[in-house]
């Protein structure tokens, strides 16, 4: 009984800490999840929700939801990701963003995979009313063992954007990435580098680097710390080219 009470008190303490963190966008990295050893036809993933309400010297409210889910069926792998974040500061809305991502991956050779994906997203305070994209490509295994793995990807997608105060672009983009994961029993470290050039004008490119550490505890929970930096050579009017975020969170794993 004492051990159960101690575990519950620990959960309460951790929840209190993370719900009070003024974090940005955090979720279990896709690369970390897709390399988990999971049973076929079994849903694997994590879901988290965070609330932050501050009054006094700082008047700020935030709510954030994220879920990442995967199912494997033989050579096929299905991933669904969703997130939403809303916030106010001094009674003024300053955050509203969300995205949905679907990905299908199929093994076609010993170290080669085919993948197709579709993504829908919006970010009010980056003047992005809507972005819809769909594409595909190849995923190549450089190495993969019990403790570490490295994968690369090469493909393309077509996107259409609805921007505030600017002509709405639509164009094809290349999609190249490198993903490294270091795995231990209780934690894993992962990093992913993306480069997405406009195939009609290669001077227009997007670069994104993501690094994170996930620590597992009490079998069904994980603590996530994540750093992301993005650079867009041609962002919407009034939006900075470089944006970085450091976030921390707590997820329920299944």
């Amino acid at each position: 009984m004492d051990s159960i009470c101690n575990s519950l008190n620990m959960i309460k303490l951790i929840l209190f800490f993370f719900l009070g963190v003024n974090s940005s966008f955090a979720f279990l990295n896709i690369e970390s999840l897709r390399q988990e050893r999971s049973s076929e036809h079994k849903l694997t993933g994590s879901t988290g929700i965070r609330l932050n309400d501050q009054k006094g010297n700082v008047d700020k409210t935030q709510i954030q939801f994220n879920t990442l889910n995967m199912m494997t069926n033989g050579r096929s792998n299905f991933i669904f990701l969703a997130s939403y974040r809303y916030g106010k500061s001094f009674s003024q809305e300053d955050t509203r963003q969300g995205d949905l991502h679907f990905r299908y991956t199929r093994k076609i050779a010993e170290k080669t995979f085919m993948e197709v994906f579709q993504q829908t997203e919006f970010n009010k305070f980056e003047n992005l009313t809507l972005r819809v994209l769909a594409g595909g490509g190849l995923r190549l295994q450089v190495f993969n063992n019990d403790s570490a793995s490295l994968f690369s990807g090469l493909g393309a997608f077509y996107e259409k954007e609805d921007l505030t105060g600017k002509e709405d672009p639509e164009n094809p983009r290349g999609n190249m990435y490198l993903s490294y994961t270091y795995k231990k029993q209780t934690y894993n470290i992962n990093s992913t580098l993306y480069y997405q050039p406009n195939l009609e004008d290669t001077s227009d490119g997007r670069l994104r680097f993501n690094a994170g550490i996930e620590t597992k505890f009490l079998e069904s929970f994980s603590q996530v710390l994540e750093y992301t930096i993005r650079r867009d050579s041609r962002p919407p009017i009034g939006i900075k080219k470089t944006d970085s975020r450091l976030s921390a969170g707590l997820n329920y794993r299944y």
Side-chain angles (χ1 to χ4, degrees), residues 18 26-28 213-215 222-226 247-251:
F18 281 107
F27 59 87
L28 179 64
I213 180 169
E214 179 191 13
T215 305
S222 65
Q223 171 188 330
V224 180
L225 181 66
E226 184 179 52
S247 61
L250 180 70
N251 286 332

Side-chain angles (χ1 to χ4, degrees), residues 96 158 191:
R96 182 180 289 182
Y158 193 85
S191 62

Side-chain angles (χ1 to χ4, degrees), residues 50-148:
R50 292 201 299 279
L51 301 172
N52 177 26
D53 189 32
Q54 297 173 256
K55 302 293 182 183
N57 293 321
V58 176
D59 185 353
K60 188 173 183 67
T61 301
Q62 277 193 348
I63 182 170
Q64 179 177 318
F65 167 81
N66 52 266
T67 184
L68 177 58
N69 304 277
M70 179 182 74
M71 182 175 289
T72 301
N73 180 13
R75 291 174 171 262
S76 297
N77 179 273
F78 304 86
I79 289 177
F80 167 68
L81 164 70
S83 69
Y84 178 76
R85 181 168 166 253
Y86 176 82
K88 285 185 176 181
S89 296
F90 298 100
S91 300
Q92 296 293 319
E93 182 182 278
D94 61 0
T95 304
R96 182 180 289 182
Q97 64 185 90
D99 62 78
L100 294 171
H101 184 94
F102 300 90
R103 183 176 294 256
Y104 170 72
T105 305
R106 183 172 179 82
K107 187 174 183 179
I108 57 177
E110 182 61 30
K111 296 184 178 181
T112 306
F113 305 79
M114 174 202 74
E115 50 186 8
V116 293
F117 53 86
Q118 193 279 326
Q119 182 166 309
T120 303
E121 60 185 297
F122 69 90
N123 191 329
K124 179 178 179 180
F125 293 91
E126 288 188 1
N127 295 337
L128 179 63
T129 303
L130 183 67
R131 174 186 289 136
V132 179
L133 62 89
L138 292 178
R139 173 177 169 84
L140 306 174
Q141 175 185 309
V142 182
F143 63 82
N144 186 17
N145 54 48
D146 290 338
S147 61

